Every structure is written in structure tokens, then in C-alpha cells.
Amino acid sequence: MSGGAVRGNFGGQQIVVSGVGGQGVLFVTRLLADAAILRGEPVLTSETHGMAQRGGIVVSHLKAGAFASPLVRPGSADGLIALKDEYFSLHRGFLKPGGWIVVNSARGGAPEGGENAHAVDADGLARESGAFRSANLVLLGFALSRLGAADHGGRLFCSPDDIREALRHRAGGKESLVAASISALALGILHGKR
């Protein structure tokens, strides 16, 4: 075991989410945490903030499964979700060998990292759809689609259905908010299948 983990029955998963203040790094992390809870899995999260109001770096750590401590050690993350491609290089040191990477990048194409690295212009897709503030959900949808759920042989502990349920749970009955969020998620899922 690594990272102080006590492996759960699905093997546990450690994910780092990075970006800047205002991009929704914490929202993505909370959705993933909610998805783990709704699946009956224990979850730990931790976050570090830069000067978020001025676009400072925000990094959150998520451990789904039976782990003993919240922080992901360098070299032990199963995956990295980078909402800003400039920080991809800065935080890739958290990844374990063979770990996956999903990056929001206007440049398109796969970032350095081989077959485990995936990039999409989530900002551009969200802007084209008229929902610029939902780029985080577009990127999450892309990750869910591209990586697949572990239940079906994929690499992510949760599925799009789990995240849809987490969105409904978190929105507290605000149907228009749920519909807009699920629409942004679906846009990313669609592009993840290409």
C-alpha cells in the first residue's frame, strides 16, 4: 500500500484536482466525494488555496476508499484532473507511474504523458454552449467518458450516473440548476467518446 492507504473493497482511488480560484476545483472535488458517499464508500478530501480571489492556485486531494489520511503523497495519485493546463506540469508529480491525466487545454491534443493523458478544450466547449462557468463540469464529463467507470472495466471509481445523482443531491431540488449542470456534463461526455 502507498500513501497511508488501507485499501477498500474496490481498491481505493486517489485523485488530485488542480486549477485556479473561480474555476470550480472544489466543486468538482465535492461532486466526486458525494459520488463516493452515495456509492457507500468512505471518502477523504483536503484542499489548499492560493489567493483564490486573485486567481491563485487551488489544489484539492480526494481519496475514495478506506484511507487513513487525506493528503495524496507525491508519486501516489491514481489520477490528476487539471482545470488549467499551465498547472499540469506543476502537479503531475503527484501521479504514480501509469496514472491518468485529464487536462483542460485550449491547445487540444494529448498532453505529454502518453496514452494515459487526455486533453479537451473545456473552456471553449463551455463558451460555445453558452455556459462558460460550467467548464469544470464539461471537463469532469470528459474524464468520466474517456476513462470509464471501474465497475465496467474503466479507471475512475464512479460513473456518469453517480455524478448526475450527486448533482441532483447537491442542487437541493433546483431543477433548472440540475438541468444546466447535467447538460454541461453531457457535453463533456460526448467529447470524451470522440
Side-chain angles (χ1 to χ4, degrees), residues 6-60:
V6 179
R7 296 295 187 192
N9 60 0
F10 78 108
Q13 198 160 80
Q14 302 182 70
I15 299 172
V16 173
V17 183
S18 75
V20 296
Q23 284 192 300
V25 170
L26 302 183
F27 186 65
V28 167
T29 305
R30 288 176 185 142
L31 283 177
L32 290 167
D34 286 352
I37 291 167
L38 290 168
R39 291 171 60 95
E41 298 291 347
V43 64
L44 295 170
T45 64
S46 179
E47 57 200 51
T48 59
H49 300 254
M51 297 178 68
Q53 296 300 318
R54 298 181 185 176
I57 298 173
V58 178
V59 180
S60 64

Side-chain angles (χ1 to χ4, degrees), residues 146-191:
R146 187 57 63 98
L147 298 169
D151 292 348
H152 302 287
R155 303 191 73 186
L156 199 53
F157 73 90
C158 60
S159 70
D161 285 342
D162 295 326
I163 295 298
R164 287 185 197 101
E165 186 176 351
L167 280 165
R168 289 185 189 98
H169 181 76
R170 187 160 282 278
K174 297 176 183 170
E175 292 305 319
S176 62
L177 178 60
V178 171
S181 297
I182 289 178
S183 177
L185 193 72
L187 181 61
I189 290 170
L190 176 66
H191 282 268

Side-chain angles (χ1 to χ4, degrees), residues 73-135:
R73 293 182 183 171
S76 63
D78 296 282
L80 166 65
I81 298 174
L83 278 82
K84 192 165 183 66
D85 64 351
E86 291 92 327
Y87 296 145
F88 158 66
S89 298
L90 185 64
H91 297 124
R92 71 178 301 160
F94 281 108
L95 283 176
K96 68 182 183 184
W100 52 262
I101 305 161
V102 176
V103 181
N104 175 17
S105 174
R107 291 176 286 171
E112 181 183 340
E115 65 185 38
N116 296 326
H118 312 276
V120 66
D121 182 6
D123 286 331
L125 291 171
R127 190 169 38 250
E128 288 172 16
S129 73
F132 181 74
R133 295 180 56 85
S134 297

